[in-house]
């Protein structure tokens, strides 16, 4: 250790009490985090790239400073899906400090890692007050039975109005309009469940019927007078 001349010539003054870092909540415990291995928790973070062409939601399950589970969800930029594939291979097994200083291929994923790191080291994780934390696999449960991200996709213009394209329930196939041409309900297909049924050998038409549902006032008796395909009409 090198010291400047001014410091070298100073006399020593004893340091007062040192209480260490403030405890943070981690998996149902209060922890004085001093090293990376002191950090545990499951949490989510959202990042974006510099031109803001896409966004990433990153979910990590950290145990004793090491990432045991990673869920990478991307939106917007087509190239991000391939970046996410590489990031998923990179993240698992790294310490959160390594992951923070690793090129995760896509700027949005890097930014998500930064935002998520802040939550983890400041004790703001989803599992902060969950005794023992969450099991490995908890991140996957966020996707539901169909293992698909929860996506909301809407489009609208002044001249033609809104179109619902994708909701949390699934891929929107029809919009129900009332006598004033206002949307009062929609029909959707649960694509994840649909594909699972197809893989099991169920006839496509039968699978489609079982995976189709409606929301709102979709039926004629509820006021629907017209149905449109939001992607074609």
């Amino acid at each position: 250790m090198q010291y400047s001349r001014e410091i070298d010539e100073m006399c020593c003054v004893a340091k007062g009490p040192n209480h260490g870092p403030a405890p943070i909540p981690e998996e149902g415990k209060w922890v004085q985090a001093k090293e990376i291995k002191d950090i545990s928790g499951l949490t989510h973070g959202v990042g974006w790239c510099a031109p803001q062409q896409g966004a990433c939601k990153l979910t990590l399950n950290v145990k004793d400073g090491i990432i045991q589970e990673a869920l990478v969800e991307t939106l917007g930029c087509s190239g991000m899906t391939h970046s996410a594939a590489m990031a998923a291979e990179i993240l698992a097994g790294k310490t959160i400090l390594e992951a923070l200083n690793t090129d995760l291929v896509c700027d949005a994923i890097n930014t998500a890692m930064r935002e998520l790191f802040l939550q983890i080291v400041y004790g703001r994780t989803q599992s902060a007050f969950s005794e023992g934390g969450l099991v490995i696999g908890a991140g996957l449960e966020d996707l539901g039975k169909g293992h698909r991200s929860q996506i909301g996709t809407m489009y609208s213009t002044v001249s033609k109005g809104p179109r619902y394209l994708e909701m949390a329930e699934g891929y929107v196939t029809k919009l129900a309009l009332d006598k004033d041409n206002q949307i009062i309900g929609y029909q959707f297909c649960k694509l994840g469940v649909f594909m699972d049924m197809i893989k099991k050998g169920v006839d496509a038409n039968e699978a489609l019927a079982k995976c189709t549902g409606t929301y709102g006032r979709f039926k004629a008796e509820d006021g629907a007078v017209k149905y449109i395909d939001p992607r074609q009409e």
Side-chain angles (χ1 to χ4, degrees), residues 188-189 194 197 203-213:
F188 59 86
C189 173
F194 174 74
M197 294 180 72
D203 177 74
N205 291 322
E206 181 185 348
L208 182 61
K210 289 183 177 180
C211 295
T212 296

Side-chain angles (χ1 to χ4, degrees), residues 3-183:
Y3 296 96
S4 67
R5 180 183 173 187
E6 289 81 358
I7 298 298
D8 218 20
E9 292 178 352
M10 287 181 179
C11 64
C12 291
V13 176
K15 186 177 180 181
N18 180 11
H19 300 295
I24 60 174
E26 289 185 22
E27 300 190 338
K29 299 178 293 185
W30 289 93
V31 177
Q32 282 188 306
K34 298 180 180 180
E35 300 179 27
I36 292 297
K37 66 181 179 62
D38 297 330
I39 300 292
S40 295
L42 180 141
T43 196
H44 316 273
V46 176
W48 54 95
C49 61
Q52 300 191 34
Q53 294 176 340
C56 168
K57 178 193 170 193
L58 182 60
T59 302
L60 297 183
N61 199 347
V62 179
K63 302 289 185 183
D64 300 324
I66 298 174
I67 297 169
Q68 299 292 341
E69 176 185 18
L71 171 64
V72 189
E73 300 172 85
T74 63
L75 178 70
C77 170
S78 59
M80 290 175 67
T81 58
H82 293 77
S83 299
M86 289 182 272
E89 293 195 28
I90 292 169
L91 284 165
K94 285 189 178 291
T95 69
I96 54 172
L97 186 59
E98 284 181 299
L100 186 67
N101 290 287
T102 297
D103 180 10
L104 298 176
V105 188
C106 168
D107 198 27
I109 305 175
N110 287 321
T111 305
M113 183 65 220
R114 180 195 70 196
E115 297 300 309
L116 189 146
F117 179 86
L118 295 175
Q119 295 177 42
I120 295 173
V121 297
Y122 284 119
R124 302 297 190 273
T125 61
Q126 178 181 322
S127 58
F129 298 102
S130 301
E131 187 174 353
L134 298 177
V135 299
I136 311 304
L140 193 62
E141 292 176 2
D142 277 3
L143 297 180
K145 290 182 179 179
H147 289 173
R148 299 188 75 237
S149 297
Q150 305 303 302
I151 296 292
T153 308
M154 315 297 151
Y155 179 74
S156 67
T157 58
V158 172
S159 61
K160 300 298 182 179
R163 298 293 189 276
Y164 301 171
L165 302 174
E166 183 117 8
M167 291 282 197
E169 296 90 349
Y171 178 94
V172 178
T173 54
K174 287 183 181 178
L175 298 180
L177 309 182
D178 64 8
K179 58 183 176 58
D180 298 318
N181 275 343
Q182 293 182 333
I183 299 172

